[in-house]
Amino acid sequence: MDPVVVVGASLAGLSAIDALRAGGHDGDVVLLESAPSLPSDRPPLSKQVLAGSMEPEAARQPLAARLDELDVEVRWGTRVDSFDAASLQLRCATGTELRASGVVVATGAAPRALPGPTLAGVHVLRTMDDCLALRADLDRGPDRVVVVGAGFIGAEVAATCRELGLEVTLLEGAPAPMVRVLPVQVGSFVADLHRAHGVDVRLGVGVEGLDGADGRVRAVRLADGTSIPAEVVVVGIGVVPGTGWLEGSGVPLGNGVTCDETCLAAPGVVAAGDVAEWFNPHFGERMRVEQWEHAIEHGAAAGRRLLAGDGPGAPFGSVPWFWSDQYDRKLQMAGRPSAADEVHVLEGSLEEHRFAVAFRRGDRCTGVLGVNRPRHVVQARMRLAESLDWAPIEELFT
Amino acid sequence: MKVVVNFDLCESNAVCMGIAPEVFEVRDDDFLYVLQEEPPEELREQVTEAARRCPKQAITVED
Ligand SMILES: Cc1cc2nc3c(=O)[nH]c(=O)nc-3n(C[C@H](O)[C@H](O)[C@H](O)COP(=O)(O)OP(=O)(O)OC[C@H]3O[C@@H](n4cnc5c(N)ncnc54)[C@H](O)[C@@H]3O)c2cc1C
Ligand code: SF4
């Protein structure tokens, strides 16, 4: 029997293997990963490891300690180049070919870069190497760090740099941070939080490009013709799903790998984590979620789907949940709101930087976000897992 | 069964509370409290699930 081949050794890939083994799969499993060793856990890379309060070795994925037990043939430094879904044949950059009995696509996503030549001092943040390179540049005590993009990673990096005592400018093209995924009130709160900590937050500014001298970045050029001097630039303008190797494979691609509600993309091919868009039956929507816990749960569902073989498989319905740490504030959100949803304050107030808000669309609650309100978010999440009806969420807080 | 939380790792994100509210509680002071350090056997499944899902892997269950 050909092995099950898992591509990508991060949260989704390892969790899929865990589910395969837990579900009784005792055949061979081959794990292909382009990185030279087990990727670190990623959340600390913009938080504790960047801040220097956690040793790099401590940033381990939850399943790292159990990898041996899972009885997997791991091939580090092995990038998969191409794939044929009809024959389940994979081709690695090393030239090796491999035929699988089932494939788990768990290749995550890679940060988007700004166009232009490579300049020293310009960073993205996805891997431990990225984090250590940025950290080394911060240790040189730059006069100013410019963060391009006020998404979650950009906002966390800005916060960490401020806490290291550095001057920070945070640039965002949209009128508020995170407006693509959250209503503007929440984005404005994030902007205020950063301003209160001394970050030079500039909204609605387009970045034209970077200026350098002797191969090192010197300034960020803005669309309005001005420029901001910068010795270190961190680019946090989103990610691209890791589907390059699937072009022409017969696996349907759109916003990442297109899967059905059971995580299946093609016969014998499942996908999970940042790379995979699936139909979430709980929301009745297609979504691609770039979150830590989701990658684990989605990976497990994908592993179970492979075990179901030619059977129908179980739908994977979920209420996504994530957290983000900025300064001494912990943001948490359960659900999947959109920018157009109504915002209802359930607890506290945005001004005091400690609150819980619920997002409403018609009769539905699409999500609950808390700032230093972990209990509220988690309780709401349990309710939302039962149903997205608005009334029970409102009751929970009255 | 004995529940041990490594409070140096715990980030009070309350995932455990969502799964096993009889055992874990994050209060309004943002700290996690373990309500029962030796929970009854019928809670084993929930407690194990909480340990598995804790983002910081801060919970251990001893027999
Ligand atoms: C700095 C940072 C901070 C974050 N903080 C938070 C947070 O606070 N909260 C939260 O909920 N989420 C956070 N996230 C998001 C979370 O880490 C991701 O959602 C999660 O890592 C996704 O896991 P994954 O397994 O889908 O993919 P990834 O972690 O992206 O892993 C994919 C793996 O596939 C490998 N790969 C790619 N292409 C190939 C190929 N062709 N062949 C072989 N291998 C390949 C890659 O090398 C990589 O190791 C953060 C992410 C980053 C980068
Ligand atoms: S889930 Fe883990 S980190 Fe979160 S509160 Fe519980 S023990 Fe602490």
PDB file of all heavy atoms in Angstrom, chain B residues 18-50:
ATOM      1  N   GLY B  18     -13.786  26.751  28.554  1.00  0.00           N
ATOM      2  CA  GLY B  18     -14.842  26.457  27.596  1.00  0.00           C
ATOM      3  C   GLY B  18     -15.146  24.967  27.544  1.00  0.00           C
ATOM      4  O   GLY B  18     -16.281  24.566  27.350  1.00  0.00           O
ATOM      5  N   ILE B  19     -14.120  24.155  27.747  1.00  0.00           N
ATOM      6  CA  ILE B  19     -14.294  22.713  27.595  1.00  0.00           C
ATOM      7  C   ILE B  19     -14.679  22.047  28.916  1.00  0.00           C
ATOM      8  O   ILE B  19     -15.525  21.169  28.944  1.00  0.00           O
ATOM      9  CB  ILE B  19     -12.999  22.091  27.027  1.00  0.00           C
ATOM     10  CG1 ILE B  19     -12.709  22.714  25.652  1.00  0.00           C
ATOM     11  CG2 ILE B  19     -13.105  20.576  26.924  1.00  0.00           C
ATOM     12  CD1 ILE B  19     -11.291  22.520  25.185  1.00  0.00           C
ATOM     13  N   ALA B  20     -14.062  22.472  30.004  1.00  0.00           N
ATOM     14  CA  ALA B  20     -14.320  21.857  31.300  1.00  0.00           C
ATOM     15  C   ALA B  20     -14.561  22.933  32.371  1.00  0.00           C
ATOM     16  O   ALA B  20     -13.730  23.152  33.258  1.00  0.00           O
ATOM     17  CB  ALA B  20     -13.141  20.965  31.705  1.00  0.00           C
ATOM     18  N   PRO B  21     -15.734  23.602  32.294  1.00  0.00           N
ATOM     19  CA  PRO B  21     -15.994  24.708  33.229  1.00  0.00           C
ATOM     20  C   PRO B  21     -16.076  24.272  34.690  1.00  0.00           C
ATOM     21  O   PRO B  21     -15.885  25.091  35.589  1.00  0.00           O
ATOM     22  CB  PRO B  21     -17.337  25.268  32.753  1.00  0.00           C
ATOM     23  CG  PRO B  21     -17.953  24.212  31.889  1.00  0.00           C
ATOM     24  CD  PRO B  21     -16.830  23.400  31.340  1.00  0.00           C
ATOM     25  N   GLU B  22     -16.308  22.973  34.945  1.00  0.00           N
ATOM     26  CA  GLU B  22     -16.355  22.502  36.333  1.00  0.00           C
ATOM     27  C   GLU B  22     -14.967  22.485  36.945  1.00  0.00           C
ATOM     28  O   GLU B  22     -14.824  22.421  38.166  1.00  0.00           O
ATOM     29  CB  GLU B  22     -16.933  21.074  36.426  1.00  0.00           C
ATOM     30  CG  GLU B  22     -18.375  20.957  36.010  1.00  0.00           C
ATOM     31  CD  GLU B  22     -18.519  20.645  34.519  1.00  0.00           C
ATOM     32  OE1 GLU B  22     -17.521  20.844  33.777  1.00  0.00           O
ATOM     33  OE2 GLU B  22     -19.611  20.234  34.110  1.00  0.00           O
ATOM     34  N   VAL B  23     -13.941  22.510  36.114  1.00  0.00           N
ATOM     35  CA  VAL B  23     -12.573  22.360  36.612  1.00  0.00           C
ATOM     36  C   VAL B  23     -11.767  23.649  36.466  1.00  0.00           C
ATOM     37  O   VAL B  23     -10.981  24.006  37.332  1.00  0.00           O
ATOM     38  CB  VAL B  23     -11.870  21.198  35.869  1.00  0.00           C
ATOM     39  CG1 VAL B  23     -10.441  21.015  36.386  1.00  0.00           C
ATOM     40  CG2 VAL B  23     -12.668  19.905  36.028  1.00  0.00           C
ATOM     41  N   PHE B  24     -11.984  24.350  35.379  1.00  0.00           N
ATOM     42  CA  PHE B  24     -11.174  25.545  35.100  1.00  0.00           C
ATOM     43  C   PHE B  24     -12.069  26.777  35.058  1.00  0.00           C
ATOM     44  O   PHE B  24     -13.141  26.747  34.459  1.00  0.00           O
ATOM     45  CB  PHE B  24     -10.465  25.415  33.753  1.00  0.00           C
ATOM     46  CG  PHE B  24      -9.621  24.179  33.624  1.00  0.00           C
ATOM     47  CD1 PHE B  24     -10.089  23.070  32.916  1.00  0.00           C
ATOM     48  CD2 PHE B  24      -8.357  24.117  34.203  1.00  0.00           C
ATOM     49  CE1 PHE B  24      -9.312  21.929  32.781  1.00  0.00           C
ATOM     50  CE2 PHE B  24      -7.571  22.969  34.076  1.00  0.00           C
ATOM     51  CZ  PHE B  24      -8.052  21.870  33.363  1.00  0.00           C
ATOM     52  N   GLU B  25     -11.602  27.851  35.686  1.00  0.00           N
ATOM     53  CA  GLU B  25     -12.361  29.091  35.612  1.00  0.00           C
ATOM     54  C   GLU B  25     -11.417  30.276  35.480  1.00  0.00           C
ATOM     55  O   GLU B  25     -10.522  30.454  36.295  1.00  0.00           O
ATOM     56  CB  GLU B  25     -13.231  29.255  36.871  1.00  0.00           C
ATOM     57  CG  GLU B  25     -14.096  30.508  36.804  1.00  0.00           C
ATOM     58  CD  GLU B  25     -15.049  30.615  37.992  1.00  0.00           C
ATOM     59  OE1 GLU B  25     -15.814  29.666  38.233  1.00  0.00           O
ATOM     60  OE2 GLU B  25     -14.994  31.647  38.671  1.00  0.00           O
ATOM     61  N   VAL B  26     -11.634  31.056  34.436  1.00  0.00           N
ATOM     62  CA  VAL B  26     -10.894  32.313  34.318  1.00  0.00           C
ATOM     63  C   VAL B  26     -11.819  33.399  34.844  1.00  0.00           C
ATOM     64  O   VAL B  26     -12.922  33.589  34.343  1.00  0.00           O
ATOM     65  CB  VAL B  26     -10.465  32.590  32.866  1.00  0.00           C
ATOM     66  CG1 VAL B  26      -9.857  33.983  32.743  1.00  0.00           C
ATOM     67  CG2 VAL B  26      -9.450  31.542  32.408  1.00  0.00           C
ATOM     68  N   ARG B  27     -11.387  34.104  35.890  1.00  0.00           N
ATOM     69  CA  ARG B  27     -12.257  35.101  36.514  1.00  0.00           C
ATOM     70  C   ARG B  27     -11.997  36.484  35.932  1.00  0.00           C
ATOM     71  O   ARG B  27     -11.093  36.660  35.123  1.00  0.00           O
ATOM     72  CB  ARG B  27     -12.032  35.115  38.031  1.00  0.00           C
ATOM     73  CG  ARG B  27     -12.360  33.755  38.619  1.00  0.00           C
ATOM     74  CD  ARG B  27     -12.703  33.792  40.088  1.00  0.00           C
ATOM     75  NE  ARG B  27     -12.903  32.404  40.531  1.00  0.00           N
ATOM     76  CZ  ARG B  27     -12.355  31.884  41.629  1.00  0.00           C
ATOM     77  NH1 ARG B  27     -11.603  32.630  42.424  1.00  0.00           N
ATOM     78  NH2 ARG B  27     -12.567  30.616  41.939  1.00  0.00           N
ATOM     79  N   ASP B  28     -12.754  37.445  36.425  1.00  0.00           N
ATOM     80  CA  ASP B  28     -12.645  38.790  35.875  1.00  0.00           C
ATOM     81  C   ASP B  28     -11.297  39.449  36.145  1.00  0.00           C
ATOM     82  O   ASP B  28     -10.961  40.456  35.538  1.00  0.00           O
ATOM     83  CB  ASP B  28     -13.801  39.673  36.365  1.00  0.00           C
ATOM     84  CG  ASP B  28     -15.034  39.438  35.490  1.00  0.00           C
ATOM     85  OD1 ASP B  28     -14.851  39.031  34.318  1.00  0.00           O
ATOM     86  OD2 ASP B  28     -16.164  39.657  35.962  1.00  0.00           O
ATOM     87  N   ASP B  29     -10.530  38.871  37.050  1.00  0.00           N
ATOM     88  CA  ASP B  29      -9.176  39.402  37.254  1.00  0.00           C
ATOM     89  C   ASP B  29      -8.214  38.851  36.204  1.00  0.00           C
ATOM     90  O   ASP B  29      -7.011  39.103  36.259  1.00  0.00           O
ATOM     91  CB  ASP B  29      -8.668  39.058  38.663  1.00  0.00           C
ATOM     92  CG  ASP B  29      -8.588  37.561  38.911  1.00  0.00           C
ATOM     93  OD1 ASP B  29      -8.807  36.771  37.959  1.00  0.00           O
ATOM     94  OD2 ASP B  29      -8.304  37.153  40.052  1.00  0.00           O
ATOM     95  N   ASP B  30      -8.751  38.084  35.245  1.00  0.00           N
ATOM     96  CA  ASP B  30      -7.963  37.509  34.149  1.00  0.00           C
ATOM     97  C   ASP B  30      -7.031  36.378  34.585  1.00  0.00           C
ATOM     98  O   ASP B  30      -6.164  35.978  33.827  1.00  0.00           O
ATOM     99  CB  ASP B  30      -7.140  38.570  33.396  1.00  0.00           C
ATOM    100  CG  ASP B  30      -8.014  39.481  32.556  1.00  0.00           C
ATOM    101  OD1 ASP B  30      -9.144  39.067  32.228  1.00  0.00           O
ATOM    102  OD2 ASP B  30      -7.575  40.596  32.243  1.00  0.00           O
ATOM    103  N   PHE B  31      -7.220  35.874  35.794  1.00  0.00           N
ATOM    104  CA  PHE B  31      -6.401  34.736  36.193  1.00  0.00           C
ATOM    105  C   PHE B  31      -7.203  33.440  36.119  1.00  0.00           C
ATOM    106  O   PHE B  31      -8.426  33.433  36.309  1.00  0.00           O
ATOM    107  CB  PHE B  31      -5.846  34.911  37.608  1.00  0.00           C
ATOM    108  CG  PHE B  31      -4.741  35.919  37.656  1.00  0.00           C
ATOM    109  CD1 PHE B  31      -4.945  37.154  38.270  1.00  0.00           C
ATOM    110  CD2 PHE B  31      -3.510  35.647  37.080  1.00  0.00           C
ATOM    111  CE1 PHE B  31      -3.924  38.099  38.301  1.00  0.00           C
ATOM    112  CE2 PHE B  31      -2.481  36.592  37.106  1.00  0.00           C
ATOM    113  CZ  PHE B  31      -2.697  37.811  37.722  1.00  0.00           C
ATOM    114  N   LEU B  32      -6.472  32.376  35.877  1.00  0.00           N
ATOM    115  CA  LEU B  32      -7.106  31.064  35.827  1.00  0.00           C
ATOM    116  C   LEU B  32      -7.117  30.443  37.221  1.00  0.00           C
ATOM    117  O   LEU B  32      -6.098  30.463  37.916  1.00  0.00           O
ATOM    118  CB  LEU B  32      -6.332  30.146  34.878  1.00  0.00           C
ATOM    119  CG  LEU B  32      -6.742  28.666  34.925  1.00  0.00           C
ATOM    120  CD1 LEU B  32      -8.132  28.471  34.357  1.00  0.00           C
ATOM    121  CD2 LEU B  32      -5.745  27.792  34.199  1.00  0.00           C
ATOM    122  N   TYR B  33      -8.252  29.926  37.617  1.00  0.00           N
ATOM    123  CA  TYR B  33      -8.367  29.192  38.874  1.00  0.00           C
ATOM    124  C   TYR B  33      -8.734  27.743  38.585  1.00  0.00           C
ATOM    125  O   TYR B  33      -9.624  27.490  37.776  1.00  0.00           O
ATOM    126  CB  TYR B  33      -9.436  29.832  39.767  1.00  0.00           C
ATOM    127  CG  TYR B  33      -9.035  31.225  40.207  1.00  0.00           C
ATOM    128  CD1 TYR B  33      -9.224  32.318  39.369  1.00  0.00           C
ATOM    129  CD2 TYR B  33      -8.417  31.419  41.435  1.00  0.00           C
ATOM    130  CE1 TYR B  33      -8.823  33.589  39.745  1.00  0.00           C
ATOM    131  CE2 TYR B  33      -8.008  32.694  41.828  1.00  0.00           C
ATOM    132  CZ  TYR B  33      -8.216  33.771  40.981  1.00  0.00           C
ATOM    133  OH  TYR B  33      -7.806  35.024  41.363  1.00  0.00           O
ATOM    134  N   VAL B  34      -8.033  26.835  39.233  1.00  0.00           N
ATOM    135  CA  VAL B  34      -8.397  25.430  39.098  1.00  0.00           C
ATOM    136  C   VAL B  34      -9.383  25.127  40.218  1.00  0.00           C
ATOM    137  O   VAL B  34      -9.047  25.213  41.397  1.00  0.00           O
ATOM    138  CB  VAL B  34      -7.157  24.518  39.192  1.00  0.00           C
ATOM    139  CG1 VAL B  34      -7.556  23.059  39.081  1.00  0.00           C
ATOM    140  CG2 VAL B  34      -6.166  24.868  38.080  1.00  0.00           C
ATOM    141  N   LEU B  35     -10.618  24.835  39.872  1.00  0.00           N
ATOM    142  CA  LEU B  35     -11.674  24.666  40.874  1.00  0.00           C
ATOM    143  C   LEU B  35     -11.580  23.324  41.583  1.00  0.00           C
ATOM    144  O   LEU B  35     -11.930  23.201  42.742  1.00  0.00           O
ATOM    145  CB  LEU B  35     -13.045  24.813  40.218  1.00  0.00           C
ATOM    146  CG  LEU B  35     -13.291  26.126  39.449  1.00  0.00           C
ATOM    147  CD1 LEU B  35     -14.657  26.112  38.810  1.00  0.00           C
ATOM    148  CD2 LEU B  35     -13.140  27.328  40.386  1.00  0.00           C
ATOM    149  N   GLN B  36     -11.129  22.330  40.836  1.00  0.00           N
ATOM    150  CA  GLN B  36     -10.979  21.002  41.440  1.00  0.00           C
ATOM    151  C   GLN B  36      -9.647  20.435  40.981  1.00  0.00           C
ATOM    152  O   GLN B  36      -9.492  20.152  39.798  1.00  0.00           O
ATOM    153  CB  GLN B  36     -12.062  20.036  40.949  1.00  0.00           C
ATOM    154  CG  GLN B  36     -13.468  20.551  41.031  1.00  0.00           C
ATOM    155  CD  GLN B  36     -14.459  19.461  40.610  1.00  0.00           C
ATOM    156  OE1 GLN B  36     -14.422  18.334  41.106  1.00  0.00           O
ATOM    157  NE2 GLN B  36     -15.324  19.794  39.691  1.00  0.00           N
ATOM    158  N   GLU B  37      -8.722  20.281  41.909  1.00  0.00           N
ATOM    159  CA  GLU B  37      -7.428  19.749  41.487  1.00  0.00           C
ATOM    160  C   GLU B  37      -7.484  18.255  41.272  1.00  0.00           C
ATOM    161  O   GLU B  37      -6.669  17.686  40.549  1.00  0.00           O
ATOM    162  CB  GLU B  37      -6.358  20.113  42.505  1.00  0.00           C
ATOM    163  CG  GLU B  37      -6.038  21.590  42.373  1.00  0.00           C
ATOM    164  CD  GLU B  37      -4.933  22.061  43.274  1.00  0.00           C
ATOM    165  OE1 GLU B  37      -4.494  21.279  44.149  1.00  0.00           O
ATOM    166  OE2 GLU B  37      -4.526  23.227  43.100  1.00  0.00           O
ATOM    167  N   GLU B  38      -8.449  17.613  41.941  1.00  0.00           N
ATOM    168  CA  GLU B  38      -8.625  16.177  41.705  1.00  0.00           C
ATOM    169  C   GLU B  38     -10.057  15.916  41.278  1.00  0.00           C
ATOM    170  O   GLU B  38     -10.882  15.445  42.070  1.00  0.00           O
ATOM    171  CB  GLU B  38      -8.249  15.390  42.966  1.00  0.00           C
ATOM    172  CG  GLU B  38      -6.781  15.586  43.293  1.00  0.00           C
ATOM    173  CD  GLU B  38      -6.286  14.650  44.397  1.00  0.00           C
ATOM    174  OE1 GLU B  38      -6.939  13.629  44.655  1.00  0.00           O
ATOM    175  OE2 GLU B  38      -5.242  14.979  44.983  1.00  0.00           O
ATOM    176  N   PRO B  39     -10.364  16.229  40.040  1.00  0.00           N
ATOM    177  CA  PRO B  39     -11.748  16.093  39.578  1.00  0.00           C
ATOM    178  C   PRO B  39     -12.169  14.629  39.488  1.00  0.00           C
ATOM    179  O   PRO B  39     -11.316  13.749  39.355  1.00  0.00           O
ATOM    180  CB  PRO B  39     -11.732  16.725  38.179  1.00  0.00           C
ATOM    181  CG  PRO B  39     -10.309  16.769  37.771  1.00  0.00           C
ATOM    182  CD  PRO B  39      -9.472  16.734  38.995  1.00  0.00           C
ATOM    183  N   PRO B  40     -13.464  14.379  39.609  1.00  0.00           N
ATOM    184  CA  PRO B  40     -13.954  13.005  39.535  1.00  0.00           C
ATOM    185  C   PRO B  40     -13.727  12.403  38.142  1.00  0.00           C
ATOM    186  O   PRO B  40     -13.608  13.122  37.151  1.00  0.00           O
ATOM    187  CB  PRO B  40     -15.449  13.140  39.816  1.00  0.00           C
ATOM    188  CG  PRO B  40     -15.783  14.566  39.523  1.00  0.00           C
ATOM    189  CD  PRO B  40     -14.541  15.345  39.815  1.00  0.00           C
ATOM    190  N   GLU B  41     -13.692  11.101  38.151  1.00  0.00           N
ATOM    191  CA  GLU B  41     -13.377  10.333  36.941  1.00  0.00           C
ATOM    192  C   GLU B  41     -14.270  10.702  35.744  1.00  0.00           C
ATOM    193  O   GLU B  41     -13.817  10.726  34.605  1.00  0.00           O
ATOM    194  CB  GLU B  41     -13.499   8.839  37.286  1.00  0.00           C
ATOM    195  CG  GLU B  41     -12.722   7.908  36.412  1.00  0.00           C
ATOM    196  CD  GLU B  41     -11.257   8.296  36.195  1.00  0.00           C
ATOM    197  OE1 GLU B  41     -10.613   8.900  37.115  1.00  0.00           O
ATOM    198  OE2 GLU B  41     -10.759   8.030  35.097  1.00  0.00           O
ATOM    199  N   GLU B  42     -15.558  11.023  36.038  1.00  0.00           N
ATOM    200  CA  GLU B  42     -16.451  11.291  34.891  1.00  0.00           C
ATOM    201  C   GLU B  42     -16.056  12.558  34.120  1.00  0.00           C
ATOM    202  O   GLU B  42     -16.554  12.786  33.023  1.00  0.00           O
ATOM    203  CB  GLU B  42     -17.926  11.326  35.311  1.00  0.00           C
ATOM    204  CG  GLU B  42     -18.275  12.370  36.358  1.00  0.00           C
ATOM    205  CD  GLU B  42     -18.268  11.787  37.786  1.00  0.00           C
ATOM    206  OE1 GLU B  42     -17.522  10.798  38.028  1.00  0.00           O
ATOM    207  OE2 GLU B  42     -18.994  12.304  38.646  1.00  0.00           O
ATOM    208  N   LEU B  43     -15.163  13.355  34.693  1.00  0.00           N
ATOM    209  CA  LEU B  43     -14.720  14.553  33.965  1.00  0.00           C
ATOM    210  C   LEU B  43     -13.441  14.312  33.166  1.00  0.00           C
ATOM    211  O   LEU B  43     -12.915  15.205  32.512  1.00  0.00           O
ATOM    212  CB  LEU B  43     -14.510  15.718  34.938  1.00  0.00           C
ATOM    213  CG  LEU B  43     -15.773  16.277  35.585  1.00  0.00           C
ATOM    214  CD1 LEU B  43     -15.413  17.336  36.614  1.00  0.00           C
ATOM    215  CD2 LEU B  43     -16.734  16.845  34.550  1.00  0.00           C
ATOM    216  N   ARG B  44     -12.964  13.066  33.213  1.00  0.00           N
ATOM    217  CA  ARG B  44     -11.663  12.787  32.592  1.00  0.00           C
ATOM    218  C   ARG B  44     -11.621  13.195  31.114  1.00  0.00           C
ATOM    219  O   ARG B  44     -10.675  13.834  30.659  1.00  0.00           O
ATOM    220  CB  ARG B  44     -11.286  11.306  32.729  1.00  0.00           C
ATOM    221  CG  ARG B  44      -9.920  10.993  32.101  1.00  0.00           C
ATOM    222  CD  ARG B  44      -9.517   9.546  32.267  1.00  0.00           C
ATOM    223  NE  ARG B  44      -9.167   9.201  33.635  1.00  0.00           N
ATOM    224  CZ  ARG B  44      -7.940   9.349  34.172  1.00  0.00           C
ATOM    225  NH1 ARG B  44      -6.971   9.850  33.436  1.00  0.00           N
ATOM    226  NH2 ARG B  44      -7.697   9.005  35.405  1.00  0.00           N
ATOM    227  N   GLU B  45     -12.670  12.847  30.404  1.00  0.00           N
ATOM    228  CA  GLU B  45     -12.653  13.126  28.965  1.00  0.00           C
ATOM    229  C   GLU B  45     -12.519  14.630  28.703  1.00  0.00           C
ATOM    230  O   GLU B  45     -11.709  15.070  27.897  1.00  0.00           O
ATOM    231  CB  GLU B  45     -13.930  12.587  28.322  1.00  0.00           C
ATOM    232  CG  GLU B  45     -13.768  12.291  26.848  1.00  0.00           C
ATOM    233  CD  GLU B  45     -15.029  11.663  26.281  1.00  0.00           C
ATOM    234  OE1 GLU B  45     -15.590  10.735  26.900  1.00  0.00           O
ATOM    235  OE2 GLU B  45     -15.471  12.159  25.235  1.00  0.00           O
ATOM    236  N   GLN B  46     -13.326  15.424  29.445  1.00  0.00           N
ATOM    237  CA  GLN B  46     -13.273  16.877  29.262  1.00  0.00           C
ATOM    238  C   GLN B  46     -11.914  17.450  29.654  1.00  0.00           C
ATOM    239  O   GLN B  46     -11.380  18.314  28.979  1.00  0.00           O
ATOM    240  CB  GLN B  46     -14.338  17.552  30.142  1.00  0.00           C
ATOM    241  CG  GLN B  46     -15.753  17.372  29.633  1.00  0.00           C
ATOM    242  CD  GLN B  46     -16.742  17.972  30.631  1.00  0.00           C
ATOM    243  OE1 GLN B  46     -16.513  19.055  31.151  1.00  0.00           O
ATOM    244  NE2 GLN B  46     -17.814  17.260  30.903  1.00  0.00           N
ATOM    245  N   VAL B  47     -11.398  16.959  30.763  1.00  0.00           N
ATOM    246  CA  VAL B  47     -10.120  17.489  31.245  1.00  0.00           C
ATOM    247  C   VAL B  47      -8.993  17.149  30.262  1.00  0.00           C
ATOM    248  O   VAL B  47      -8.138  17.992  29.953  1.00  0.00           O
ATOM    249  CB  VAL B  47      -9.807  16.937  32.658  1.00  0.00           C
ATOM    250  CG1 VAL B  47      -8.388  17.293  33.083  1.00  0.00           C
ATOM    251  CG2 VAL B  47     -10.808  17.475  33.663  1.00  0.00           C
ATOM    252  N   THR B  48      -9.017  15.937  29.739  1.00  0.00           N
ATOM    253  CA  THR B  48      -7.999  15.535  28.762  1.00  0.00           C
ATOM    254  C   THR B  48      -8.114  16.382  27.499  1.00  0.00           C
ATOM    255  O   THR B  48      -7.116  16.803  26.916  1.00  0.00           O
ATOM    256  CB  THR B  48      -8.164  14.043  28.390  1.00  0.00           C
ATOM    257  OG1 THR B  48      -8.523  13.335  29.568  1.00  0.00           O
ATOM    258  CG2 THR B  48      -6.907  13.468  27.822  1.00  0.00           C
ATOM    259  N   GLU B  49      -9.359  16.628  27.103  1.00  0.00           N
ATOM    260  CA  GLU B  49      -9.596  17.456  25.927  1.00  0.00           C
ATOM    261  C   GLU B  49      -9.075  18.894  26.166  1.00  0.00           C
ATOM    262  O   GLU B  49      -8.462  19.496  25.288  1.00  0.00           O
ATOM    263  CB  GLU B  49     -11.104  17.453  25.612  1.00  0.00           C
ATOM    264  CG  GLU B  49     -11.549  18.339  24.456  1.00  0.00           C
ATOM    265  CD  GLU B  49     -11.111  17.846  23.084  1.00  0.00           C
ATOM    266  OE1 GLU B  49     -10.461  16.780  23.005  1.00  0.00           O
ATOM    267  OE2 GLU B  49     -11.394  18.554  22.097  1.00  0.00           O
ATOM    268  N   ALA B  50      -9.317  19.403  27.362  1.00  0.00           N
ATOM    269  CA  ALA B  50      -8.828  20.745  27.697  1.00  0.00           C
ATOM    270  C   ALA B  50      -7.302  20.781  27.632  1.00  0.00           C
ATOM    271  O   ALA B  50      -6.707  21.726  27.101  1.00  0.00           O
ATOM    272  CB  ALA B  50      -9.315  21.166  29.082  1.00  0.00           C
TER     273      ALA B  50
END
